[in-house]
Each structure stands twice: as structure tokens, then as C-alpha cells.
């Protein structure tokens, strides 16, 4: 599968994939069930652990630290606080890697030896499992001032306020994807989540069977992004699990929404859980880092 979104199929196989994905996306396999209150609290707890993790590690970032070192700190904090399992492994992307420049295949998206520079953007992304519930958070920051990031955050917050209304409209997930893509382009940014596998603007979160011990991964390539349980769940739910330009299925349920934008030399995103019910749509928690004023956050300093 080529990286990026292409309006027209790039090959016969791509054409066949889109035809199948559109049709299978109508079948949610139970993922569109509205969760009970106790489940919502479970997702909220998992998201709060994820937020605590990225805030803690964000304060530890220093100039010269590599993406691998930052990802190791994320993993260590989660283990110390009771979560050895995850939907996907911790990610850290610095500088132009925050907009996936220099990547030629999905295998390149793992944290690498890229070093953090003063004033560069840094994205931290974790998805812990707590008591079987999945949280998934993306957080963007910089060491030192970054005016482009400040402006990008303002746009992302505006987009955050509009997304629930899009989900409550008659639009399909595919139409929502295309509308968000249009708004990103109109604001002068590149759509970076179009470079995710399946061009994912968001994906369902769900509960898995609680287990103890470290999570298992399938090697170090693309499938190694995700835990074994996550890969099995994705296969079960099929194309209904992601919000992209092929999903014409149901919107009800619990989603991790992750708009990711880019500009020359940097990128930014947020990610948090959105709950879609028949008569309302809302972010599961408003106590999230990207809603806090800068004076409430402890920013890292140059090392």
C-alpha cells in the first residue's frame, strides 16, 4: 500500500481494495454499541494515564535526545504505573519526522535515531490498556519557542470544537474525512494523517480481555506497531474500525480521533477519545493537555 491518500486508485489491487473496503465498512460487528457508564469511566481512566505519561515525558525531553530514547521513557512510565499492555507501541517523532518526511515505507515510522533540536516540534503518542480499556493520546510540544506550532495548535483546537458537530450530522465517516482534509488544506497545512496506514483520521477503541504481563508484538515491521490483540481486533472489525475515505458505515461508538497536520519542517496533532451516541457526541474528557493554557504546563528546557 503506497503512503498517502490518492483520489484515484493507484493500481488494480488498490481499486479492488477500495471496492471491498467500502462495502465491508457497513458492517461494524458490534463496535457501534453505545458503552455503559462503567465502560466510559474505563476509557477515561486509560486516557488519563496516557495524558499523564506524555506530560511527564514531555518535561524530560532535552536537546539531543533521540526518538528511541523518548519512546523508551514513555514505555518506562507506563510500566511503572501499571500498564505493560497497549494498542500500539509508544511513538516519538521529532522535527520533520513529525510530518513523516524521509519516510518511504510504513516500517520507517518506528521511533529512530533522529535527535531533538531546539525549537523543533516533538510528537509523543501512547495507547495504554488499563483493565482492558484502551486509551490513545497524541501530544505535541517543542523545546523553546515555536510560533508555527502555536498557530497550528490554534487551528487544531478550532477543528476539535467542530468535529463533534460533523459526527452528529448526516455525513458518513468518509465524508467527514474529506471535509477535515478540505479544512486542513484551506488553512494552508498538509494532511499528515493521510500518511497513516489506511489514511486514518481516527479509529475505534474497544475493550480487550484484561491480562497481566508485557504485550506481544509481531516483529519489528509494520505489524509490530500494534499488539497482537490489536491486530486481531482490527481483523475482526475490518474496514469499519477506521475513519477514512472508504468508510461509509456507522458512526456510533467510541473513537480515538487524531487529526495530524504539517508544514515545512514540522507537524502537530492531538488525539483523544470521542463518544458518539444516537442523540449526542462529546469528547470523553476535557482535562487534556492541549486545552490547558501554557502557564499550566511545565515545558522542557534546552539540555
Amino acid at each position: 500500500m503506497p503512503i498517502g491518500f490518492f483520489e484515484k486508485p493507484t493500481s488494480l489491487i488498490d481499486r479492488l481494495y477500495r471496492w471491498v473496503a467500502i462495502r465491508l465498512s457497513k458492517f461494524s460487528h458490534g463496535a457501534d454499541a453505545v458503552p455503559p457508564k462503567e465502560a466510559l469511566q474505563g476509557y477515561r481512566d486509560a486516557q488519563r494515564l496516557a495524558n499523564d505519561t506524555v506530560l511527564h515525558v514531555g518535561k524530560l525531553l532535552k536537546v539531543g535526545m533521540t526518538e528511541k530514547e523518548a519512546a523508551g521513557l514513555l514505555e518506562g512510565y507506563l510500566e511503572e504505573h501499571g500498564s505493560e499492555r497497549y494498542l500500539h507501541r509508544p511513538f516519538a517523532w521529532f522535527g520533520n519526522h513529525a510530518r513523516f518526511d524521509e519516510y518511504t515505507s510504513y516500517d520507517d515510522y518506528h521511533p529512530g535515531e533522529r535527535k531533538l533540536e531546539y525549537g523543533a516540534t516533538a510528537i509523543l503518542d501512547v495507547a495504554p490498556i488499563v483493565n482492558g480499556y484502551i486509551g490513545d493520546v497524541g501530544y505535541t510540544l517543542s523545546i523553546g519557542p515555536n510560533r508555527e506550532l502555536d498557530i497550528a495548535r490554534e487551528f487544531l483546537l478550532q477543528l476539535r470544537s467542530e468535529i463533534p458537530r460533523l459526527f452528529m450530522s448526516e455525513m458518513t465517516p468518509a465524508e467527514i474525512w474529506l471535509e477535515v482534509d478540505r479544512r486542513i488544506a484551506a488553512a494552508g497545512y498538509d494532511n499528515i494523517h493521510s500518511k497513516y496506514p489506511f489514511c486514518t483520521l481516527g479509529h475505534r477503541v474497544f475493550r480487550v480481555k484484561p491480562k497481566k504481563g508485557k504485550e506481544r508484538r509481531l516483529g519489528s515491521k509494520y505489524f509490530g506497531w500494534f499488539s497482537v490483540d490489536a491486530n486481531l481486533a482490527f481483523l475482526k472489525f475490518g474496514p469499519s474500525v477506521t475513519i477514512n475515505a472508504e468508510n461509509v458505515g456507522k458512526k456510533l461508538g467510541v473513537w480515538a480521533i487524531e487529526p495530524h497536520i504539517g508544514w515545512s519542517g514540522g507537524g502537530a496533532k492531538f488525539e483523544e477519545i470521542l463518544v458518539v451516541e444516537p442523540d449526542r457526541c462529546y469528547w470523553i474528557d476535557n482535562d487534556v493537555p492541549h486545552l490547558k493554557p501554557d502557564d499550566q504546563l511545565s515545558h522542557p528546557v534546552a539540555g
Side-chain angles (χ1 to χ4, degrees):
M1 179 186 298
I3 293 177
F5 173 71
F6 302 90
E7 188 174 350
K8 294 182 179 180
T10 57
S11 66
L12 181 60
I13 293 177
D14 188 20
R15 186 185 301 275
L16 177 62
Y17 160 75
R18 296 190 191 199
W19 184 87
V20 171
I22 289 171
R23 282 150 184 81
L24 292 183
S25 69
K26 298 177 183 180
F27 303 97
S28 59
H29 304 284
D32 61 323
V34 177
K37 289 184 178 179
E38 59 268 23
L40 290 176
Q41 187 59 48
Y43 292 119
R44 191 175 294 112
D45 290 342
Q47 177 168 287
R48 286 181 176 174
L49 173 59
N51 281 325
D52 290 345
T53 303
V54 295
L55 282 173
H56 175 81
V57 172
K59 298 171 187 176
L60 302 179
L61 295 183
K62 295 181 179 181
V63 169
M65 181 178 288
T66 67
E67 293 170 340
K68 283 185 177 179
E69 290 172 333
L73 291 174
L74 293 168
E75 185 173 353
Y77 185 91
L78 289 172
E79 289 183 3
E80 290 171 6
H81 290 79
S83 178
E84 293 184 297
R85 304 183 64 226
Y86 52 81
L87 177 72
H88 64 69
R89 66 171 302 195
F91 287 113
W93 299 304
F94 297 162
N96 66 344
H97 281 187
R99 52 165 286 121
F100 299 161
D101 284 350
E102 304 174 2
Y103 292 173
T104 59
S105 76
Y106 290 121
D107 298 339
D108 295 332
Y109 287 46
H110 291 282
E113 299 297 336
R114 176 81 179 202
K115 293 183 178 181
L116 183 59
E117 299 177 358
Y118 184 78
T121 55
I123 294 177
L124 306 177
D125 194 320
V126 295
I129 297 175
V130 178
N131 295 323
Y133 293 100
I134 293 170
D136 203 347
V137 161
Y139 176 53
T140 309
L141 68 159
S142 65
I143 294 183
N146 187 320
R147 180 57 180 161
E148 289 150 327
L149 177 56
D150 292 339
I151 296 171
R153 281 175 175 154
E154 292 176 3
F155 169 74
L156 286 171
L157 287 180
Q158 179 183 354
L159 195 59
R160 181 188 187 270
S161 70
E162 295 167 351
I163 283 174
R165 290 195 292 271
L166 296 179
F167 272 83
M168 288 305 295
S169 74
E170 296 297 322
M171 300 171 75
T172 66
E175 290 168 335
I176 293 173
W177 192 98
L178 292 168
E179 175 61 17
V180 171
D181 179 70
R182 184 194 67 77
R183 296 187 186 198
I184 290 172
Y189 294 109
D190 297 322
N191 178 344
I192 305 304
H193 59 260
S194 70
K195 297 182 179 181
Y196 289 12
F198 308 106
C199 303
T200 301
L201 168 63
H203 57 84
R204 293 189 183 276
V205 291
F206 38 84
R207 194 179 190 210
V208 296
K209 183 177 180 181
K211 297 178 184 177
K212 293 184 178 180
K214 285 185 174 292
E215 191 61 85
R216 293 176 297 155
R217 290 195 290 142
L218 296 173
S220 60
K221 299 297 184 179
Y222 161 65
F223 282 105
W225 285 24
F226 305 101
S227 65
V228 171
D229 284 348
N231 280 305
L232 291 175
F234 291 155
L235 289 173
K236 171 187 174 182
F237 295 132
S240 72
V241 79
T242 59
I243 295 174
N244 55 30
E246 283 80 48
N247 188 342
V248 297
K250 299 176 181 179
K251 294 179 290 186
L252 296 179
V254 187
W255 300 88
I257 305 297
E258 50 183 330
H260 189 161
I261 62 175
W263 59 92
S264 179
K269 70 177 288 187
F270 73 81
E271 184 173 12
E272 55 180 307
I273 292 176
L274 183 76
V275 182
V276 185
E277 299 177 352
D279 57 352
R280 63 175 181 153
C281 176
Y282 55 95
W283 300 105
I284 201 168
D285 197 351
N286 284 317
D287 185 16
V288 292
H290 43 280
L291 289 184
K292 296 180 179 180
D294 285 344
D295 60 4
Q296 292 186 22
L297 298 174
S298 297
H299 292 291
V301 296

